Protein backbone atom coordinates (compact mmCIF):
# COMPACT_ATOMS: atom_id res chain seq x y z
CA UNK A 1 0.00 0.00 0.00
CA UNK A 2 1.52 3.40 -0.93
CA UNK A 3 1.78 5.73 1.97
CA UNK A 4 0.69 9.37 2.21
CA UNK A 5 2.53 11.94 4.30
CA UNK A 6 -0.39 11.72 6.80
CA UNK A 7 0.03 7.95 7.13
CA UNK A 8 3.79 8.36 7.65
CA UNK A 9 3.03 10.98 10.30
CA UNK A 10 0.58 8.56 11.95
CA UNK A 11 3.25 5.85 12.23
CA UNK A 12 5.80 8.31 13.61
CA UNK A 13 3.25 9.48 16.18
CA UNK A 14 2.54 5.91 17.33
CA UNK A 15 6.26 5.18 17.62
CA UNK A 16 6.84 8.31 19.72
CA UNK A 17 3.76 7.98 21.92
CA UNK A 18 4.39 4.32 22.72
CA UNK A 19 8.12 4.66 23.25
CA UNK A 20 7.29 7.31 25.84
CA UNK A 21 4.51 5.23 27.43
CA UNK A 22 6.39 1.90 27.31
CA UNK A 23 7.55 1.78 30.94
CA UNK A 24 4.24 2.94 32.42
CA UNK A 25 2.25 0.52 30.20
CA UNK A 26 4.55 -2.29 31.28
CA UNK A 27 4.02 -1.52 34.97
CA UNK A 28 0.29 -0.80 34.76
CA UNK A 29 -2.16 -3.20 36.31
CA UNK A 30 -5.49 -3.37 34.46
CA UNK A 31 -7.85 -6.20 35.43
CA UNK A 32 -10.05 -5.56 32.35
CA UNK A 33 -7.09 -6.01 29.99
CA UNK A 34 -5.93 -9.07 31.93
CA UNK A 35 -9.36 -10.62 31.34
CA UNK A 36 -9.12 -9.99 27.61
CA UNK A 37 -5.67 -11.61 27.46
CA UNK A 38 -6.86 -14.60 29.54
CA UNK A 39 -9.86 -15.07 27.26
CA UNK A 40 -7.69 -14.75 24.15
CA UNK A 41 -5.31 -17.41 25.43
CA UNK A 42 -8.16 -19.77 26.23
CA UNK A 43 -9.48 -19.30 22.67
CA UNK A 44 -6.02 -20.16 21.30
CA UNK A 45 -5.87 -23.35 23.39
CA UNK A 46 -2.87 -25.60 22.82
CA UNK A 47 -1.29 -25.53 19.34
CA UNK A 48 2.19 -26.99 19.82
CA UNK A 49 2.92 -26.96 16.06
CA UNK A 50 1.77 -23.40 15.42
CA UNK A 51 3.79 -20.36 14.46
CA UNK A 52 2.01 -17.24 15.70
CA UNK A 53 2.45 -13.52 15.13
CA UNK A 54 1.53 -11.06 17.89
CA UNK A 55 1.06 -7.61 16.35
CA UNK A 56 1.65 -4.59 18.57
CA UNK A 57 3.07 -6.90 21.20
CA UNK A 58 3.98 -4.13 23.66
CA UNK A 59 6.20 -5.54 26.38
CA UNK A 60 4.75 -9.03 25.97
CA UNK A 61 1.38 -8.96 27.78
CA UNK A 62 0.04 -11.43 25.21
CA UNK A 63 3.23 -12.78 23.56
CA UNK A 64 4.65 -14.30 26.75
CA UNK A 65 1.57 -16.28 27.85
CA UNK A 66 0.91 -17.18 24.19
CA UNK A 67 4.41 -18.66 23.88
CA UNK A 68 3.45 -21.41 26.33
CA UNK A 69 0.70 -22.61 23.94
CA UNK A 70 2.39 -22.53 20.52
CA UNK A 71 5.69 -23.52 18.92
CA UNK A 72 6.94 -19.96 18.37
CA UNK A 73 5.79 -16.36 18.46
CA UNK A 74 6.98 -13.51 16.27
CA UNK A 75 6.24 -10.49 18.47
CA UNK A 76 6.20 -7.20 16.57
CA UNK A 77 5.86 -3.65 17.82
CA UNK A 78 6.40 -0.25 16.28
CA UNK A 79 8.00 1.18 19.46
CA UNK A 80 11.65 0.11 19.92
CA UNK A 81 11.37 0.75 23.68
CA UNK A 82 8.54 -1.81 23.97
CA UNK A 83 10.62 -4.40 22.11
CA UNK A 84 13.58 -3.68 24.40
CA UNK A 85 11.39 -4.24 27.49
CA UNK A 86 10.05 -7.46 26.00
CA UNK A 87 13.55 -8.76 25.26
CA UNK A 88 14.61 -8.05 28.86
CA UNK A 89 11.58 -9.98 30.16
CA UNK A 90 12.22 -12.92 27.83
CA UNK A 91 15.80 -13.11 29.14
CA UNK A 92 14.72 -12.85 32.78
CA UNK A 93 11.98 -15.46 32.39
CA UNK A 94 14.01 -17.79 30.20
CA UNK A 95 11.42 -17.78 27.41
CA UNK A 96 13.17 -18.89 24.23
CA UNK A 97 10.40 -19.27 21.65
CA UNK A 98 9.52 -15.59 21.24
CA UNK A 99 11.34 -13.50 18.64
CA UNK A 100 10.85 -9.79 19.33
CA UNK A 101 10.99 -7.45 16.34
CA UNK A 102 10.56 -3.74 15.71
CA UNK A 103 8.08 -3.23 12.89
CA UNK A 104 4.64 -1.96 12.03
CA UNK A 105 1.41 -3.82 11.26
CA UNK A 106 1.31 -1.92 7.98
CA UNK A 107 4.76 -2.97 6.76
CA UNK A 108 5.36 -6.57 7.77
CA UNK A 109 7.23 -8.76 5.35
CA UNK A 110 5.38 -11.99 6.14
CA UNK A 111 5.32 -14.58 3.34
CA UNK A 112 2.02 -15.90 1.97
CA UNK A 113 0.57 -18.96 3.76
CA UNK A 114 3.40 -19.02 6.29
CA UNK A 115 1.80 -18.82 9.77
CA UNK A 116 -0.94 -20.71 11.59
CA UNK A 117 -2.08 -17.91 13.86
CA UNK A 118 -2.30 -14.10 13.74
CA UNK A 119 -3.01 -12.49 17.13
CA UNK A 120 -3.17 -8.99 18.51
CA UNK A 121 -4.42 -7.24 21.62
CA UNK A 122 -5.48 -3.60 22.00
CA UNK A 123 -3.62 -2.35 18.94
CA UNK A 124 -5.83 -2.30 15.88
CA UNK A 125 -7.89 0.69 17.03
CA UNK A 126 -4.77 2.74 16.27
CA UNK A 127 -5.06 1.96 12.55
CA UNK A 128 -7.11 4.09 10.18
CA UNK A 129 -10.14 2.38 8.66
CA UNK A 130 -8.26 1.95 5.38
CA UNK A 131 -5.31 0.39 7.24
CA UNK A 132 -7.67 -1.96 9.13
CA UNK A 133 -9.05 -3.26 5.82
CA UNK A 134 -5.52 -3.67 4.42
CA UNK A 135 -4.42 -5.47 7.60
CA UNK A 136 -7.31 -7.95 7.41
CA UNK A 137 -6.48 -8.81 3.83
CA UNK A 138 -2.72 -9.06 4.65
CA UNK A 139 -3.50 -11.40 7.57
CA UNK A 140 -5.62 -13.55 5.23
CA UNK A 141 -2.64 -13.90 2.91
CA UNK A 142 -0.11 -14.65 5.72
CA UNK A 143 -2.23 -17.50 7.14
CA UNK A 144 -2.05 -21.07 5.93
CA UNK A 145 -5.40 -22.52 4.78
CA UNK A 146 -7.27 -23.36 7.99
CA UNK A 147 -5.16 -20.80 9.92
CA UNK A 148 -6.83 -18.44 12.36
CA UNK A 149 -6.88 -14.77 13.31
CA UNK A 150 -7.75 -14.00 16.95
CA UNK A 151 -7.67 -10.44 18.23
CA UNK A 152 -8.96 -8.40 21.11
CA UNK A 153 -9.46 -4.66 21.13
CA UNK A 154 -11.76 -1.86 22.16
CA UNK A 155 -14.66 -2.37 19.79
CA UNK A 156 -17.37 0.22 19.43
CA UNK A 157 -18.39 2.65 16.73
CA UNK A 158 -19.18 6.33 16.86
CA UNK A 159 -22.63 6.07 18.41
CA UNK A 160 -24.76 4.98 15.44
CA UNK A 161 -26.12 1.87 17.22
CA UNK A 162 -27.65 1.25 20.64
CA UNK A 163 -24.68 -1.03 21.46
CA UNK A 164 -22.19 1.77 20.67
CA UNK A 165 -24.13 4.23 22.79
CA UNK A 166 -24.29 1.79 25.72
CA UNK A 167 -20.50 1.24 25.59
CA UNK A 168 -19.78 4.99 25.35
CA UNK A 169 -22.21 5.78 28.21
CA UNK A 170 -20.61 3.13 30.41
CA UNK A 171 -17.10 4.45 29.69
CA UNK A 172 -18.16 8.00 30.56
CA UNK A 173 -19.90 6.82 33.76
CA UNK A 174 -16.78 4.92 34.89
CA UNK A 175 -14.50 7.89 34.21
CA UNK A 176 -16.86 10.37 35.89
CA UNK A 177 -16.53 8.27 39.04
CA UNK A 178 -12.75 8.87 39.02
CA UNK A 179 -12.95 12.60 39.79
CA UNK A 180 -10.83 15.25 38.08
CA UNK A 181 -8.45 12.73 36.46
CA UNK A 182 -11.42 10.91 34.95
CA UNK A 183 -12.97 14.16 33.63
CA UNK A 184 -9.63 15.02 32.01
CA UNK A 185 -9.57 11.62 30.32
CA UNK A 186 -13.14 12.11 29.04
CA UNK A 187 -12.08 15.42 27.45
CA UNK A 188 -8.79 14.07 26.07
CA UNK A 189 -10.12 10.74 24.79
CA UNK A 190 -13.34 12.36 23.54
CA UNK A 191 -11.34 14.71 21.29
CA UNK A 192 -9.10 11.85 20.06
CA UNK A 193 -12.12 9.66 19.40
CA UNK A 194 -14.23 12.31 17.68
CA UNK A 195 -11.40 13.49 15.45
CA UNK A 196 -9.92 9.98 14.93
CA UNK A 197 -6.51 10.94 16.32
CA UNK A 198 -4.85 7.93 17.95
CA UNK A 199 -8.15 6.24 19.03
CA UNK A 200 -10.08 4.87 16.03
CA UNK A 201 -12.09 1.88 17.26
CA UNK A 202 -14.82 0.28 15.16
CA UNK A 203 -17.65 -1.98 16.27
CA UNK A 204 -17.62 -5.77 16.38
CA UNK A 205 -20.03 -5.82 13.45
CA UNK A 206 -17.81 -3.51 11.35
CA UNK A 207 -14.87 -5.89 11.96
CA UNK A 208 -17.04 -8.84 10.94
CA UNK A 209 -17.83 -7.12 7.62
CA UNK A 210 -14.11 -6.49 6.94
CA UNK A 211 -13.25 -10.11 7.74
CA UNK A 212 -16.05 -11.47 5.52
CA UNK A 213 -14.93 -9.24 2.66
CA UNK A 214 -11.36 -10.56 2.95
CA UNK A 215 -12.64 -14.15 2.68
CA UNK A 216 -12.56 -15.28 6.33
CA UNK A 217 -15.12 -17.83 7.54
CA UNK A 218 -16.36 -19.12 10.92
CA UNK A 219 -16.26 -15.57 12.28
CA UNK A 220 -17.20 -15.37 15.97
CA UNK A 221 -17.41 -12.35 18.25
CA UNK A 222 -17.33 -12.16 22.05
CA UNK A 223 -17.88 -9.04 24.15
CA UNK A 224 -15.58 -9.30 27.19
CA UNK A 225 -15.80 -6.14 29.27
CA UNK A 226 -17.84 -3.08 28.34
CA UNK A 227 -15.63 -1.69 25.57
CA UNK A 228 -13.59 -4.75 24.71
CA UNK A 229 -14.33 -7.56 22.33
CA UNK A 230 -12.53 -10.52 20.82
CA UNK A 231 -12.96 -11.79 17.28
CA UNK A 232 -11.89 -15.13 15.87
CA UNK A 233 -12.04 -16.10 12.21
CA UNK A 234 -10.53 -18.75 9.95
CA UNK A 235 -9.03 -18.83 6.50
CA UNK A 236 -10.95 -21.53 4.60
CA UNK A 237 -9.15 -24.81 3.94
CA UNK A 238 -9.75 -24.47 0.17
C1 LIG B 1 -2.31 -0.46 24.01
S1 LIG B 1 -0.70 -1.10 23.69
C2 LIG B 1 -1.02 -2.84 23.74
C3 LIG B 1 0.21 -3.65 24.01
C4 LIG B 1 -0.02 -5.16 24.21
N1 LIG B 1 -0.53 -5.78 23.00
C5 LIG B 1 -0.97 -5.43 25.35
O1 LIG B 1 -1.88 -6.25 25.19
O2 LIG B 1 -0.78 -4.85 26.43
C6 LIG B 1 -0.59 -0.76 21.96
C7 LIG B 1 0.71 -1.23 21.33
O3 LIG B 1 0.59 -1.19 19.92
C8 LIG B 1 1.78 -0.71 19.35
N2 LIG B 1 1.44 -0.16 18.04
C9 LIG B 1 0.66 0.92 17.76
N3 LIG B 1 0.53 1.08 16.45
C10 LIG B 1 1.25 0.09 15.87
C11 LIG B 1 1.52 -0.28 14.51
N4 LIG B 1 1.01 0.42 13.50
N5 LIG B 1 2.30 -1.35 14.27
C12 LIG B 1 2.84 -2.08 15.31
N6 LIG B 1 2.63 -1.77 16.61
C13 LIG B 1 1.83 -0.70 16.89
C14 LIG B 1 2.26 0.32 20.36
O4 LIG B 1 3.63 0.59 20.23
C15 LIG B 1 1.91 -0.36 21.67
O5 LIG B 1 2.95 -1.18 22.14
Amino acid sequence: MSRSIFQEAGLTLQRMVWSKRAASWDEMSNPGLDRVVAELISMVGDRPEATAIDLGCGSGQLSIPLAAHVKEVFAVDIAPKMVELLEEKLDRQGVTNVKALVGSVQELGVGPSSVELVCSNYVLHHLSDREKAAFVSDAFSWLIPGGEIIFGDMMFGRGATAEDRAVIAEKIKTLLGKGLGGWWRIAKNGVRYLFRIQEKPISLSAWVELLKKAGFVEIATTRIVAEAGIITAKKPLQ
Side-chain angles (χ1 to χ4, degrees), residues 18 25 56-58 61 77-79 82 103-106 121-123:
W18 285 104
W25 186 263
C57 59
Q61 289 78 358
D77 200 283
I78 199 166
M82 284 290 197
S104 73
V105 174
Q106 295 88 335
N121 189 46
Y122 260 77
V123 176

